[in-house]
Amino acid sequence: MTASHTENVRERRLIFICVAFASFALVVASYFVAASIARENSRQAGNRQLQIISLDIESVLERYETLPFAISYLPLTAEALLHKQNATQIQALNLSLQELAEQAKVAAIYLMDVQGNTIAASNWNTAQSYLGQNFAFRPYFSEALKEARPGHFYAIGNTTNIPGYFISQPVYSPGSKRGSQAPIGVIAVKIILDEFEQAWHSSEEPIALSDRHGVVFLSNRAPWKYHSLQNLSPAVQQNLKTTLQYGGKHIAAITQLPMTQKKGYGEYLQRPIGRLNWQLMLFPDQSKVMRAGLQSSLVVALMLGIALAFTAVFDQRRRRLEEGRLAQRALKKAADELELHIAERTHQLTQANAELESRYLTLKQTETLLRSTQNEMVQAGKLAMLGQMATGITHELNQPLTAIRAFADNAITFMNRGKAEQALANLEHISHASERMGSIIAQLKGFARKSPNAIAEVDVQTAIQSAVSLLRSETDRRGVNLHVHVAEPAKVFGDTVRIEQVLINLIRNALDAVENSPFKVVDVRLSREQGMARISIADSGTGIPEHVAGHLFEPFFTTKEIGHGLGLGLAISSSIVQAMNGSLVANNRPDGGAEFTVCIPLAVEQANNTSTA
């Protein structure tokens, strides 16, 4: 690459950076200008909307302002207060108030005495009638009675639980001038303002009407109702609870609402309304401002992009010829390098493939050797065990041999004396003793032979009985109480000889463990638990030392004296059990001694799992 080409590249980079920076600044400036204009337009539109809404609300409130004043002048109103016991007059006033409420389209009109008890009401015949209700706690009552002026109040109805705007007027005795004496009662009108709230639902922007404390009582955002613009002081909270203005609710701030419920809350426009220092608020949608700014910035960015694209096209056309020549040279060089890399990689893959084939062959040979060695270890373990059992088996065979000799001598004697029946009985004894010797030798031959690794159903009960039978003479010789509990049947898939080898290993270990114990007890139990055949061999020995527990199943690890074991029994047993998808574990019992547990899947469970798969 020449020096002039390098200089041209640097110039183009510098120009590109300057253009990019200027374009970015122009896009950002267009965003802020457009957003500012949109914000001002939104503010003006919101103020116009607030003005229209406030005029509607004030016109409705003023429309009903004179209604209670006019009713207070009715002779029937004052007469009802002076003659509260006259049911006829009270009922006549109820009917008049009912008709007035229907014609004026107000929620209720009701008359209260100086104690605040309602004696007549337009809703006298409804389930939520005000008759008999006391409203002395309401501010509009005290304003009309004690201050002799119109009362105004917005609250949730104590009887109907329906919010409304209350207007009250004092009632004076007939013929008396207003203000010349104390009022004899109060007339009140309740107006429902829900129609405004329903009309506001058509607006996408939040609209709210709050009282002088900042508590929202009308809004097109339902979660905002009866929440305040800011946290209220304890005195204000107590005042709201005393007057039951909002049904005794605890008023929390809107800012404490979840994010989804206070969506749209933020900067707002406000306008005072009514006689109670209400505030009508509109919350402009700030997303419109952002959208206006983004739209403006996108338009500017698009125009700049088009201009830059045209510029780039011309510059690209000029550079294309130069870059084409460079690209051809680079392509040829890359093709040469790629061809070289392909040749090298092909050679490496060929060598790797040959190495993998060699390793696979070695692995197969190793696996074959491992299986052969494992089988030889199992057979060696059995032969070692047979050697250890030789003394006991010799003693077991010696008894029937001695008995056969004695019975044979007796049979000869009886034959010489002509006592054929006694001779026949001795011959039968000889036959039984021979049969017993044959069964012992058959068990030894079956145990000593090499297993063909044939997998079949194995009756665990029979395997336990065979193992115990082979060790019975040694058990008797050592004076060990061997208890066998195999009442529950269980069958597993495996090799009978290998299962017996595992059992003999574990029972012999238990016999060795109780050799020096004052109570020589070994328990062998068979149970079925969760689809497993569970064989436990527990002894009354001293248990497994902590430093031995971690090495129990390691080959050639033994705690016995030299000549009493090779340390292969438990390792072989664990290997046999694992080959049958089982487990062999050892632990110390709480009441002393050790317990070895063999768990092998039941044949039925394995068959079910295979058919399901």
Side-chain angles (χ1 to χ4, degrees), residues 317-459:
R317 185 175 181 83
R318 182 179 58 83
R319 293 162 51 193
R320 185 175 299 170
L321 295 174
E322 179 183 356
E323 291 179 353
R325 292 191 298 270
L326 295 175
Q328 287 179 355
R329 289 196 295 268
L331 183 61
K332 186 177 183 304
K333 182 179 179 182
D336 294 340
E337 292 179 354
L338 179 60
E339 186 177 354
L340 179 61
H341 286 315
I342 290 174
E344 292 177 354
R345 188 60 177 167
T346 302
H347 180 67
Q348 292 175 358
L349 289 175
T350 303
Q351 289 182 339
N353 189 31
E355 185 178 353
L356 284 176
E357 289 181 356
S358 176
R359 289 184 179 181
Y360 177 75
L361 180 61
T362 303
L363 180 62
K364 293 295 290 184
Q365 294 174 350
T366 304
E367 182 181 4
T368 302
L369 179 61
L370 178 62
R371 291 185 181 276
S372 175
T373 304
Q374 185 180 25
N375 292 332
E376 293 300 328
M377 283 182 62
V378 172
Q379 187 65 17
K382 290 194 292 184
L383 294 176
M385 189 178 298
L386 283 174
Q388 294 175 357
M389 294 191 297
T391 302
I393 298 300
T394 301
H395 177 74
E396 189 73 14
L397 293 175
N398 190 45
Q399 288 181 346
L401 282 173
T402 303
I404 288 172
R405 180 179 297 172
F407 286 133
D409 293 341
N410 290 339
I412 293 171
T413 302
F414 285 131
M415 290 292 292
N416 292 332
R417 295 178 181 178
K419 296 180 180 181
E421 293 182 359
Q422 288 85 347
L424 182 61
N426 280 268
L427 291 175
E428 288 179 354
H429 287 307
I430 292 173
S431 177
H432 291 321
S434 300
E435 183 178 357
R436 182 182 176 189
M437 292 175 62
S439 64
I440 294 173
I441 294 171
Q443 289 177 346
L444 285 174
K445 289 171 65 180
F447 181 73
R449 74 177 184 271
K450 284 192 175 183
S451 173
N453 295 326
I455 302 299
E457 278 195 0
V458 178
D459 188 344

Side-chain angles (χ1 to χ4, degrees), residues 215 226-228 231-232 237 240-241 246 249-253:
V215 179
Y226 310 122
H227 285 76
S228 59
N231 293 323
L232 301 181
Q237 291 277 14
L240 295 177
K241 290 182 179 179
Y246 300 114
K249 301 176 185 292
H250 177 78
I251 307 301

Side-chain angles (χ1 to χ4, degrees), residues 386-613:
L386 283 174
Q388 294 175 357
M389 294 191 297
T391 302
I393 298 300
T394 301
H395 177 74
E396 189 73 14
L397 293 175
N398 190 45
Q399 288 181 346
L401 282 173
T402 303
I404 288 172
R405 180 179 297 172
F407 286 133
D409 293 341
N410 290 339
I412 293 171
T413 302
F414 285 131
M415 290 292 292
N416 292 332
R417 295 178 181 178
K419 296 180 180 181
E421 293 182 359
Q422 288 85 347
L424 182 61
N426 280 268
L427 291 175
E428 288 179 354
H429 287 307
I430 292 173
S431 177
H432 291 321
S434 300
E435 183 178 357
R436 182 182 176 189
M437 292 175 62
S439 64
I440 294 173
I441 294 171
Q443 289 177 346
L444 285 174
K445 289 171 65 180
F447 181 73
R449 74 177 184 271
K450 284 192 175 183
S451 173
N453 295 326
I455 302 299
E457 278 195 0
V458 178
D459 188 344
V460 182
Q461 286 182 314
T462 304
I464 293 175
Q465 295 295 350
S466 298
V468 170
S469 176
L470 286 173
L471 295 172
R472 179 60 69 183
S473 61
E474 185 172 353
T475 303
D476 295 339
R477 178 176 59 81
R478 296 191 184 193
V480 177
N481 293 322
L482 178 61
H483 303 296
V484 181
H485 308 275
V486 292
E488 192 172 7
K491 291 185 178 182
V492 300
F493 281 122
D495 185 338
T496 303
V497 175
R498 294 199 172 191
I499 293 177
E500 290 179 6
Q501 182 178 359
V502 171
L503 296 172
I504 291 173
N505 274 335
L506 297 178
I507 296 173
R508 279 190 57 81
N509 280 349
L511 295 178
D512 293 340
V514 300
E515 182 72 26
N516 299 319
S517 298
F519 302 101
K520 301 180 179 181
V521 179
V522 175
D523 283 330
V524 180
R525 294 182 180 272
L526 170 63
S527 61
R528 299 164 59 126
E529 295 182 3
Q530 299 178 350
M532 306 288 284
R534 185 178 186 274
I535 309 167
S536 64
I537 295 93
D539 60 66
S540 60
T542 58
I544 304 171
E546 185 176 352
H547 69 280
V548 174
H551 306 281
L552 274 179
F553 301 106
E554 294 180 3
F556 303 107
F557 177 82
T558 180
T559 58
K560 299 177 183 179
E561 296 179 359
I562 297 176
H564 290 78
L566 301 176
L568 292 174
L570 290 179
I572 293 173
S573 299
S574 177
S575 176
I576 292 173
V577 173
Q578 288 178 7
M580 292 187 288
N581 298 322
S583 62
L584 172 60
V585 296
N587 59 281
N588 290 321
R589 298 192 300 166
D591 53 349
E595 181 178 18
F596 285 77
T597 304
V598 178
C599 290
I600 305 173
L602 292 170
V604 176
E605 295 294 331
Q606 284 194 346
N608 291 338
N609 293 337
T610 303
S611 62
T612 302

Side-chain angles (χ1 to χ4, degrees), residues 212-235:
R212 61 191 179 91
H213 299 301
V215 179
V216 175
F217 58 86
L218 283 181
S219 177
N220 58 352
R221 297 293 186 268
W224 294 12
K225 290 182 67 173
Y226 310 122
H227 285 76
S228 59
L229 302 177
Q230 64 278 332
N231 293 323
L232 301 181
S233 65

